[in-house]
Amino acid sequence: MSDFREEEALGKAYDSQLMRRLLTYLWPYRWSVVFAVVLTLLVGPLEVVGPYLFGFGVDRYIDPGANNLIPQAEALRGIGLVSLGFLAALLLSFAVQYLQVRIMQNVGQQTLYDLRKDIFERLQRLPMSFFDRSPVGRLVTRVTTDVDALNDLFAAGIAAMANDAIVLACIGAVMLWMNWRLALATFSVLPLILLSTWLFRDRVRDANRRIRTAIARINAFLQEHISGMSIVQLFNRERKSREQFAVLNRVHMEAYKDAILAFALFFPTVELLSTGAIAIVYWYGGLRSLTGLVDIGVLIAFMQYAQRFFRPIQDLSEKFNILQSAMAACERIFKLL
């Protein structure tokens, strides 16, 4: 029987040495990466412009215009300018994120092309004794599944994590600047969200480890039995092989079901807590608005900021698993290289 213990070695969630070696494959495309980083710095500010303009328009034009505190023509002109500014921010944000995705996808595919080429060249130079000890299915996993894990990191993981971190920082800073009391009310559910994220991370990390192990075992099992089908049939081992494959297939299914269960519990939990934060902002800000301590526009802007603030937290939790899977795949690929 083949030894699959190598597939079960999970490694670190983040390994700086592996990352430095992996980044050498990005060096030929460094200027594209630099341009993508510059675009990332624009994503956060563009995300905070919309709610701020919305609240500003309510306080400066809609509320005074409704109460005849300013001329109707001035109110209509101001609302039109605010709407145009809002639309311009949306279009610019779309353009920035579109360019960023196109650049990172292109860089990711070029990098993985170089990596696959190096892996195949390395396999051709290895001695025959290596192939006697290593199932071909495991080697196929290196070139396909493990490289695809790195594709997820380059194409969606790095850029998305940077975007989420900058958006979180920008929204948090603007909320504290506008009204620190309402900001603290919004942040009151963060400890519960961080606890849920920590529990979710451990569950999904374990499920992903078992999924990757099961995929490698299935690939190795299929390669050995299909290429050696004449021997299987010669010794009348079809029934035994079906039973063995059913066990491997069930392990893979159960691991995926555990990952699905973790996602099914985590995202509704974060959604519930983020909605609770919006309710707290609505209650606390509404009471202060009745006493004139908080403007209506500020309260509306805070409710929109609260909705946008918790979305990146969900994304970062999911991207952590992409990072962990990529580090495990990177460790196995470079061990082969």
Side-chain angles (χ1 to χ4, degrees), residues 113-182:
Y113 170 82
D114 297 338
L115 188 58
R116 286 193 187 98
K117 184 175 64 174
D118 288 350
I119 294 173
F120 187 70
E121 291 177 357
R122 175 61 176 167
L123 288 174
Q124 290 182 308
R125 293 195 303 268
L126 290 171
M128 289 303 300
S129 58
F130 172 82
F131 296 98
D132 291 336
R133 297 191 308 268
S134 303
V136 175
R138 179 189 295 174
L139 303 179
V140 172
T141 302
R142 294 292 173 271
V143 186
T144 56
T145 307
D146 287 338
V147 173
D148 286 340
L150 296 180
N151 178 50
D152 294 337
L153 178 65
F154 283 124
I158 295 177
M161 285 187 288
N163 288 346
D164 291 338
I166 292 175
V167 167
L168 275 175
C170 291
I171 292 178
V174 171
M175 292 172 72
L176 290 170
W177 171 70
M178 292 180 65
N179 191 307
W180 65 270
R181 291 182 175 86
L182 280 179

Side-chain angles (χ1 to χ4, degrees), residues 8 25 134 144 158 172 190 199-200 202-203 221 249 252-253 257 260 273 276 335:
E8 299 187 15
Y25 284 89
S134 303
T144 56
I158 295 177
L190 273 181
L199 296 174
F200 164 80
D202 290 344
R203 289 287 301 273
F221 186 89
N249 200 18
H252 181 264
M253 180 189 69
K257 288 170 63 176
I260 292 170
L273 292 174
K335 186 176 181 181

Side-chain angles (χ1 to χ4, degrees), residues 179 181-182 283-295:
N179 191 307
R181 291 182 175 86
L182 280 179
W283 171 75
Y284 180 71
L287 293 179
R288 295 181 67 83
S289 178
L290 292 175
T291 60
L293 297 176
V294 175
D295 294 331

Side-chain angles (χ1 to χ4, degrees), residues 229-238:
M229 187 56 66
S230 59
I231 300 176
V232 172
Q233 294 178 350
L234 179 63
F235 287 92
N236 195 24
R237 299 283 293 181
E238 295 93 333

